[in-house]
Amino acid sequence: MRIGLFATCLGDTLFPDAVSATAVLLTRLGHEVVFPPGQTCCGQMHVNTGYQREPVPLVRNFAEQFGDSAIEAVVMPSGSCAGSVRHQHEIIAERYGDRALREGVAGVKAKTYELSELLVDVLGLSDVGAYFPYRVTYHPTCHSLRMLRVGDKPLSLLRAVEEIDLVELPEADACCGFGGTFALKNADTSSAMLKDKIHHITGTGADICSAGDSSCLMHIGGGLSKIKSGATTLHLAQILASTRTTPHVPHGTPGSTGGGRSDRTDRTGRTQEVTR
């Protein structure tokens, strides 16, 4: 399958490893990944903040960049951006666009997926051949949970990862408190919500908190770092892209500092040699 990859703003500026991991994973699975170079922001932040006319050029550009019929599917490592393309773009096109924009948006919407949706619903996979010997808990982000309704697709993929110790996150469906500009406009409320989320994450004893949105991981990661919990965050794509031959060693875990070759002890107590 020829798959168009949308990087997202946060992926482009702060979390490029999640984007490259998506490409690595899909290529390993035998698919052709293309990256339209003219892609820009999807316009989600404008719409969420109440500026609905302003993102029209961004919506039009997205439809043009990914509307090529040779691109069979569009994937993004972000439930919130996928939700924007599938729901918000249509609203913007109907209210402020012309016929060409409405048709372009409809065409791209029909083939746009969040990563776990693409893997499970389109490619029919549950086991992608990943290897990740760490204790992991998963935070289902609000847009993927409530707007896209991906359900347990991310968890089904994680359960199939070799050597993973996947632990349930209490009150998993509670928001982490980020919400884009919500965290700025309602800082006290956001901080209180984050405090609850961090409490539940640290209570699992997990090494890693994973999610399908870098924005939530940025927020949660800041909270974990602030209390020096020892736990860290990692995008779902990076876990699924990790294999025995090309393992991902998370920052903050044994064997993660420096290059070359190191020994680390996995959760079973076995010492493994890792080459990077």
Side-chain angles (χ1 to χ4, degrees):
M1 177 176 278
R2 196 164 194 255
I3 302 171
L5 174 59
F6 178 59
T8 79
C9 292
L10 276 177
D12 179 50
T13 57
L14 296 174
F15 298 96
D17 288 348
V19 183
S20 60
T22 302
V24 168
L25 170 64
L26 293 173
T27 300
R28 191 183 81 225
L29 294 173
H31 302 281
E32 179 186 1
V33 178
V34 296
F35 188 88
Q39 59 181 277
T40 60
C41 174
C42 67
Q44 177 194 175
M45 68 179 81
H46 305 73
V47 181
N48 288 351
T49 314
Y51 296 94
Q52 294 195 357
R53 189 183 296 273
E54 284 76 2
V56 169
L58 301 175
V59 173
R60 190 183 303 278
N61 183 68
F62 189 95
E64 291 174 351
Q65 292 294 316
F66 292 96
D68 186 346
S69 60
I71 297 178
E72 301 171 81
V74 181
V75 69
M76 52 202 72
S78 168
S80 61
C81 291
S84 178
V85 173
R86 294 241 294 269
H87 296 275
Q88 295 177 342
H89 281 199
E90 187 173 45
I91 296 171
I92 299 306
E94 287 293 333
R95 290 181 180 177
Y96 306 109
D98 50 27
R99 180 178 178 180
L101 181 59
R102 290 192 291 271
E103 291 177 349
V105 163
V108 174
K109 169 187 174 180
K111 61 180 181 180
T112 294
Y113 303 93
E114 176 266 346
L115 179 59
S116 72
E117 290 181 308
L118 178 74
L119 293 170
V120 176
D121 292 342
V122 180
L123 303 182
L125 299 171
S126 58
D127 187 344
V128 297
Y131 167 78
F132 195 74
Y134 300 95
R135 191 171 217 198
V136 176
T137 194
Y138 184 80
H139 165 65
T141 64
C142 288
H143 284 90
S144 63
L145 189 68
R146 298 176 174 86
M147 183 177 282
L148 296 179
R149 299 188 183 281
V150 302
D152 67 350
K153 294 179 182 69
L155 288 172
S156 69
L157 292 164
L158 287 172
R159 291 186 188 111
V161 173
E162 185 182 0
E163 295 284 350
I164 197 171
D165 180 9
L166 185 62
V167 291
E168 182 178 356
L169 179 63
E171 298 187 27
D173 61 353
C175 177
C176 71
F178 180 62
T181 56
F182 173 84
L184 300 176
K185 295 178 178 179
N186 303 276
D188 290 342
T189 302
S190 173
S191 296
M193 296 169 74
L194 175 63
K195 183 178 180 180
D196 289 342
K197 181 63 64 174
I198 295 301
H199 170 73
H200 292 305
I201 291 171
T202 55
T204 66
D207 305 305
I208 307 288
C209 174
S210 185
D213 274 273
S214 294
S215 54
C216 296
L217 291 176
M218 176 179 67
H219 192 56
I220 292 171
L224 291 171
S225 176
K226 185 176 181 179
I227 65 170
K228 297 179 173 59
S229 69
T232 187
T233 57
L234 196 65
H235 196 283
L236 173 67
Q238 292 170 270
I239 294 178
L240 298 181
S242 177
T243 65
R244 278 190 176 272
T245 55
T246 55
H248 179 92
V249 181
H251 294 298
T253 59
S256 65
T257 57
R261 178 173 292 177
S262 65
D263 290 337
R264 64 174 168 80
T265 303
D266 68 13
R267 64 181 180 84
T268 64
R270 296 173 299 189
T271 299
Q272 298 182 339
E273 189 177 72
V274 179
T275 301
R276 293 185 297 280

